[in-house]
Amino acid sequence: MKIIKNDRELTDFFRVLGERASGGNPEIEQRVRTILDNVKSRGDSAVIKYTGLFDSLKNRRLSIPKGEISRYAAKADPHVVKALKAAAGRIRKFHAMQKEKSWCFNEEGAMLGQLIRPLERVGIYVPGGKASYPSTVLMNVIPAQVAGVKEIVVCVPAPKGEINPNVMAAIKLLGVKEVYRIGGAQAVAAMAYGTKTVKKVDKIVGPGNIYVATAKKMVFGTVDIDMIAGPSEILVIADNSANPVYIAADLLSQAEHDELASSVFITNSKRLAESVIHELESQLKDLKRKEIAEKSLDAYGAIIITKSIKNAAEIANSIAPEHLEIMTKDPTGLLPMIRNAGAIFLGEWTPEAIGDYAAGPNHTLPTGGTARFSSPLGVYDFMKRSSLLGFTRSGFRKLAKTVKTIADAEGLEAHGNTIKVREEEKG
């Protein structure tokens, strides 16, 4: 893990993080384009072909009926099911606060407003390859349900023909009825373009591997998407009041995700930095995913020593991390200085993992510095807004001259004529 002590080293590290988050893989993009084109032109037959090739498909049946969902769910760990129910309740309560309402106001001769409506049909991708995440089901389905989406589709890959029982337990818990055993770019294509079996959706959300992310990027415009999720990130700001054991544990919680994950620690205490390094070495010894975590820390991990905690906040804003933990004597005091972060965790008793699973806020967060302009997944991602306008004759007349003047200035004669023909009408 790099120790950064000056501006030059910090600039070099920013460059490394930027290269990690930028660009695509031309070879993968070409493969994904081929899959998308084939599914678009051949529908189910192409989906069946790719699903059988990359995963497994029994009886060429893409859908997972209610009975099969229940059979898988029955195999889930009862303790996990209990935890999922508890988490689901908290997630639903939090997201209910995000629901928007239509509004309007009246002025003399006019009524203006905004109509808020849920999307009709949404597709949710749930990873099912190297790891399966029932929490992803909760975090993506619940906001859509709170928004009032009528039709929710879940696609989950079935490696070797099997699906994780805990994932199916989460699906059953939330009452999702339309589920398909499709993964990869072919799942994105089926949801984006539609097939005989899978009806086209309006929006695709959910994380996935590089093929899924690339496919989502390519179908954007045909359908909406939530975001292009990159490798996971954590940034911890701490002063000498913080516990180095907690800091090291939290940094490793992201480093174990994959080799591209980034874990950054910023402090104004050299002594704390040394203690954290010692703790990282100690905790790594017993970590099952030690090799992955070590590669992540070596390539994209850093300890940045600053003159002050205020400087730490400025650096954090430049990185715009997915997860930002603040372990200072007064964490809320630093909050006004933070402008860019996907989720902010205040104090030593708020580890990132509590947000991942059960706190309530969504764990689908902007990565790769996109927290500068993006937000966590929420109910608002499943809503659309329509402007509402209604004028009386007197209200029209008050604005007629203004509108015609601007239309004439822009050289749009027909626009101006819509005003002129009404002005000329007698009565």
Side-chain angles (χ1 to χ4, degrees):
M1 197 166 187
K2 306 172 189 69
I3 299 178
I4 296 173
K5 299 179 180 179
N6 57 57
D7 290 343
R8 181 184 58 80
E9 292 174 345
L10 185 59
T11 299
D12 289 343
F13 182 62
F14 282 164
R15 178 182 51 78
V16 169
L17 290 182
E19 291 173 351
R20 162 183 170 270
S22 65
N25 184 312
E27 187 175 336
I28 289 177
E29 288 175 355
Q30 182 55 51
R31 291 176 188 169
V32 170
R33 174 55 64 195
T34 298
I35 293 171
L36 295 179
D37 289 344
N38 282 338
V39 172
K40 187 176 183 179
S41 61
R42 296 171 49 216
D44 282 346
S45 63
V47 175
I48 290 169
K49 170 191 170 184
Y50 288 120
T51 301
L53 181 64
F54 299 131
D55 295 315
S56 179
L57 188 61
K58 298 176 181 178
N59 303 321
R60 296 171 63 85
R61 189 177 63 193
L62 297 174
S63 64
I64 304 177
K66 182 178 179 181
E68 190 174 350
I69 293 173
S70 296
R71 286 195 295 274
Y72 271 113
K75 299 176 184 178
D77 183 334
H79 297 292
V80 174
V81 174
K82 183 178 179 180
L84 290 173
K85 288 180 180 178
R90 295 185 62 89
I91 294 166
R92 194 174 296 278
K93 180 179 179 181
F94 177 88
H95 286 81
M97 301 296 290
Q98 296 178 339
K99 196 165 183 181
E100 300 174 74
K101 295 181 180 179
S102 300
W103 55 268
C104 67
F105 68 90
N106 293 289
E107 58 183 28
E108 189 177 349
M111 184 271 287
L112 303 170
Q114 189 174 70
L115 292 179
I116 308 294
R117 297 285 187 264
L119 301 181
E120 290 288 325
R121 183 173 169 84
V122 169
I124 293 169
Y125 187 91
V126 177
K130 292 182 179 179
S132 294
Y133 303 107
S135 61
T136 297
V137 178
L138 304 185
M139 293 291 184
N140 286 269
V141 171
I142 290 175
Q145 290 179 331
V146 171
V149 177
K150 291 181 180 179
E151 299 178 19
I152 299 174
V153 181
V154 171
C155 281
V156 55
K160 298 180 180 179
E162 298 297 323
I163 299 175
N164 184 286
N166 293 332
V167 168
M168 298 307 282
I171 289 172
K172 182 180 179 183
L173 172 65
L174 299 183
V176 179
K177 297 180 175 60
E178 191 174 349
V179 186
Y180 300 97
R181 60 180 99 246
I182 314 171
Q186 63 270 24
V188 175
M191 290 188 283
Y193 303 128
T195 72
K196 184 177 180 180
T197 300
V198 184
K199 182 183 171 185
K200 178 180 176 179
V201 303
D202 300 313
K203 184 166 187 171
I204 299 173
V205 304
N209 62 20
I210 186 63
Y211 289 91
V212 172
T214 301
K216 284 172 65 178
K217 185 176 181 180
M218 288 182 173
V219 300
F220 175 65
T222 299
V223 293
D224 191 18
I225 62 171
D226 51 350
M227 62 184 75
I228 307 296
S232 190
E233 309 158 353
I234 188 170
L235 190 153
V236 180
I237 296 176
D239 59 19
N240 57 14
S241 69
N243 188 327
V245 176
Y246 298 167
I247 296 170
D250 294 359
L251 292 171
L252 288 173
S253 73
Q254 296 307 293
E256 75 170 353
H257 266 292
D258 63 59
E259 294 87 345
L260 292 173
S262 173
S263 301
V264 178
F265 171 45
I266 310 178
T267 183
N268 61 344
S269 170
K270 292 182 180 179
R271 179 178 295 180
L272 180 60
E274 292 169 358
S275 297
V276 168
I277 291 172
H278 174 76
E279 275 299 325
L280 284 170
E281 293 172 349
S282 176
Q283 294 183 32
L284 265 170
K285 293 177 182 177
D286 300 320
L287 201 65
K288 290 181 180 179
R289 295 169 69 89
K290 176 183 176 182
E291 186 175 341
I292 291 173
E294 283 182 329
K295 289 181 179 178
S296 167
L297 293 177
D298 288 344
Y300 303 109
I303 294 177
I304 303 172
I305 300 175
T306 66
K307 294 179 181 179
S308 70
I309 291 299
K310 183 178 180 181
N311 294 141
E314 292 170 355
I315 294 170
N317 286 325
S318 296
I319 293 175
E322 177 186 17
H323 307 99
L324 172 62
E325 292 188 0
I326 302 177
M327 293 192 208
T328 58
K329 190 174 182 180
D330 178 23
T332 55
L334 194 63
L335 196 55
M337 302 180 195
I338 302 300
R339 300 187 305 276
N340 304 323
I344 303 169
F345 303 78
L346 300 173
E348 65 180 10
W349 298 109
T350 318
E352 179 274 331
I354 207 167
D356 261 356
Y357 299 120
N362 210 284
H363 75 196
T364 304
L365 302 167
T367 61
T370 60
R372 292 179 294 108
F373 52 80
S374 297
S375 306
L377 187 74
V379 173
Y380 37 77
D381 285 295
F382 300 98
M383 309 292 288
K384 57 184 178 180
R385 300 154 189 85
S386 299
S387 296
L388 190 63
L389 305 85
F391 279 74
T392 63
R393 174 174 286 193
S394 62
F396 164 81
R397 284 175 173 169
K398 285 182 179 180
L399 277 184
K401 183 177 180 181
T402 298
V403 174
K404 193 171 185 309
T405 299
I406 296 173
D408 290 345
E410 294 187 349
L412 296 175
E413 182 182 4
H415 280 64
N417 195 50
T418 66
I419 304 301
K420 183 179 178 182
V421 296
R422 286 171 171 80
E423 285 183 313
E424 291 174 348
E425 184 177 334
K426 295 180 179 180

